[in-house]
Structure formats: C-alpha cells, structure tokens
Amino acid sequence: WMDEAMIATIHGWCQRMLLEHAFATGGLFERTLVTDQQDLIAETLRDYWRKHCYGRPLAEARCIREVAASPQALQDKLSEWLKRRDAQLCYQGQPLDGACLQTALATRIGQRAAEEAARGLWREGREGIEDQLRVLRPNLNGRVHGSAKPEGFEQVLDEIAAWSEGGQAPTQLPKFARGAFVFKKNAPVQTEPEHPVYDALATWQQSLQATDANNPNAPPSLEACLLAHAAHWLAEELPRRLRLRAEMGFDELLSELAAALTPADDSPNAQTQAAALAAT
C-alpha cells in the first residue's frame, strides 16, 4: 500500500481537496493554479488608483502622491504584505483597516496649509525678518541656529528664503519658531523677536509634532492609513477577480480550505460538511 500512497506538498494537497470537494468548500469545480499573480496584482492596484485616488480633490491627491507617486510605488510599499495577504496591517500595535485615511488626509492638508502660511509670512516680510535676526545673531546659540559666524548665518537665512519660495526646509528652521529660540547662557538679550512669522512657524511645528512617529499618542500616519486602505480593498477585490477568472493562488489554496474546515456559519449543514471534509 505504500507504493500507492500519494506524496504532495501542502499546496498540492490543498488544491486536490478544493477541487475534489468543490461543492462542500463553495468553490469552482475547475480552477487553474496561478503561481505568479504580479500582473493581476498590478492591474488591480491600477484600478484601485483610478477608483480611490484619481477623483480626489487636488489637495488630497497631492498628499497621496507624497506617500506613493504611482500604482507601482504603492505596490512596492505593499510588497511585504503581498507575501502574506492574510496578515493584518498594524500601526503601533493597533490593527488598521484603512478607515483612518480620510482623517489622515485632513491632518496632512492642515499641516501643508500651516507651512504655506509660514512661508507666505516669511516671503512677504523677508527683509525685515532677516534684519531682525542679524541684530539678534550674537545672542543666539551658534550650534542650534547656525549663527556662530556671520557668513554661516547668512547661508542659513538664504536657505530659509529658498524654503519660503517652495524649497526644502533647512534643519535650523524649527528653532526660529516661537518658544524654540535658544540663547547663549550669558547673552545680554534673552527675548525672542516679535513678528507673526515666528508664531506661524510654531503652529506648523506643533502640527507636525502631533503626528510624529516618536509621539506615543500620535494617530496613524498618512502612509500607514493609505497602505491599510489599499490592502483592505485588495484583500476583497483580488479573490473576487481570481474567481471570475477561475484561478487561484497559493494564498487562496490555504485560506479557502481553512474557511471550509472552520466555517463561520454555525448551521448543522455547514458543520456537517466541514466534519466530512476534515475526515477525508
């Protein structure tokens, strides 16, 4: 009898069970095993992009593009999850289903608006602000503000000016926010300058700190929410498309057989079918 025993991998055995017991497992009687689903995943994510990203307001679309600039970029970020589509995406130990996406977008739009407000104030009052800071420079902590030498401080001011025109924020910029100035210990001046731009910078920095990953009370990041939203949609849409094509992948082999063996339906008929399947 050993000569007649079947030798199979776990996936091969699952496939045989699903095909031989298609009625009991709620599957199709003829299905093709697809070992490479990359093209179907890419196509499905392109449809996700069209359905959930294209039609958004411009401000939301810009925020999404900060996280993933294209469907391919989104697929790359989901690459680890795609290897285990039964896994639950989490953020700081809490499961995510993507419902937080709209809130995260609103938060990011608010942060962008706060930055633009600060940019505008600096741009409009640049000459007066820079003169004010040049006078204050000898009293500032040189390491924190890049103000140890006049020429170095001028470079910092030029970088901030470039930021006000839409460039990258220099590392010293947050230290020019209200409440963040650092003075030399024995400097004669210990008072922060007066201008609305310093308050605007503080508002912007506070909005960023509220969502900083190092903040234990921070809500899920925009990236985490977008990935969870896409993963939740893909987890429902991909099996549906596979069934329409009469195909299944390795994940479907395991998940469908597991669902048949442990049905959510408590009816006697479902439990009887599950018991019969387990006995084979």
Side-chain angles (χ1 to χ4, degrees):
W1 62 270
M2 288 294 293
D3 292 339
E4 299 177 357
M6 185 188 73
I7 300 175
T9 64
I10 183 62
H11 292 106
W13 179 79
C14 288
Q15 183 180 17
R16 185 171 70 87
M17 289 296 100
L18 289 172
L19 293 177
E20 291 182 1
H21 303 276
F23 180 78
T25 60
L28 301 177
F29 286 92
E30 293 186 8
R31 298 174 75 182
T32 302
L33 177 62
V34 179
T35 58
D36 185 357
Q37 299 179 340
Q38 290 303 305
D39 289 344
L40 179 59
I41 290 172
E43 174 189 305
T44 307
L45 279 173
R46 286 194 294 269
D47 289 340
Y48 169 84
W49 196 263
R50 281 189 287 268
K51 181 179 177 66
H52 294 283
C53 300
Y54 275 178
R56 289 187 176 274
L58 182 58
E60 293 185 358
R62 284 174 173 166
C63 293
I64 288 176
R65 286 182 64 85
E66 288 181 358
V67 175
S70 67
Q72 182 59 55
L74 183 59
Q75 185 172 345
D76 292 342
K77 287 181 177 290
L78 285 169
S79 59
E80 289 302 315
W81 175 80
L82 287 168
K83 297 174 185 177
R84 280 289 311 275
R85 296 201 304 270
D86 60 327
Q88 173 72 60
L89 288 180
C90 297
Y91 182 81
Q92 294 187 348
Q94 298 299 315
L96 289 178
D97 61 4
C100 60
L101 178 58
Q102 204 58 42
T103 300
L105 281 170
T107 298
R108 183 67 188 112
I109 289 171
Q111 290 172 339
R112 288 174 63 100
E115 182 180 12
E116 287 305 313
R119 274 183 167 141
L121 286 170
W122 194 288
R123 188 170 57 248
E124 293 168 6
R126 176 184 174 184
E127 184 177 350
I129 296 168
E130 289 183 350
D131 288 344
Q132 196 177 49
L133 292 174
R134 288 188 185 101
V135 172
L136 190 63
R137 183 196 65 79
N139 302 281
L140 296 175
N141 182 296
R143 181 180 57 81
V144 172
H145 293 276
S147 56
K149 296 181 179 180
E151 57 272 22
F153 196 55
E154 288 302 319
Q155 183 178 345
V156 171
L157 293 178
D158 287 343
E159 291 175 355
I160 297 177
W163 161 80
S164 73
E165 298 291 344
Q168 189 72 21
T171 56
Q172 298 91 345
L173 182 59
K175 294 303 181 181
F176 291 94
R178 175 74 63 211
F181 281 82
V182 179
F183 295 90
K184 294 176 181 177
K185 185 176 181 180
N186 298 318
V189 177
Q190 298 285 329
T191 305
E192 294 182 346
E194 291 297 329
H195 193 285
V197 72
Y198 308 122
D199 298 298
L201 284 170
T203 299
W204 172 42
Q205 290 302 307
Q206 288 165 7
S207 71
L208 294 178
Q209 291 164 8
T211 59
D212 190 287
N214 295 321
N215 179 356
N217 298 317
S221 66
L222 175 57
E223 178 172 341
C225 291
L226 177 62
L227 295 183
H229 189 272
H232 182 75
W233 188 84
L234 194 63
E236 294 182 348
E237 184 65 15
L238 193 58
R240 186 187 73 82
R241 296 191 183 200
L242 285 167
R243 291 177 73 86
L244 287 175
R245 295 156 61 120
E247 296 177 348
M248 56 183 168
F250 290 135
D251 284 348
E252 286 69 40
L253 288 175
L254 300 175
S255 62
E256 290 186 19
L257 186 57
L261 290 170
T262 56
D265 186 357
D266 292 331
S267 67
N269 184 49
Q271 296 301 321
T272 299
Q273 287 184 343
L277 181 61
T280 57

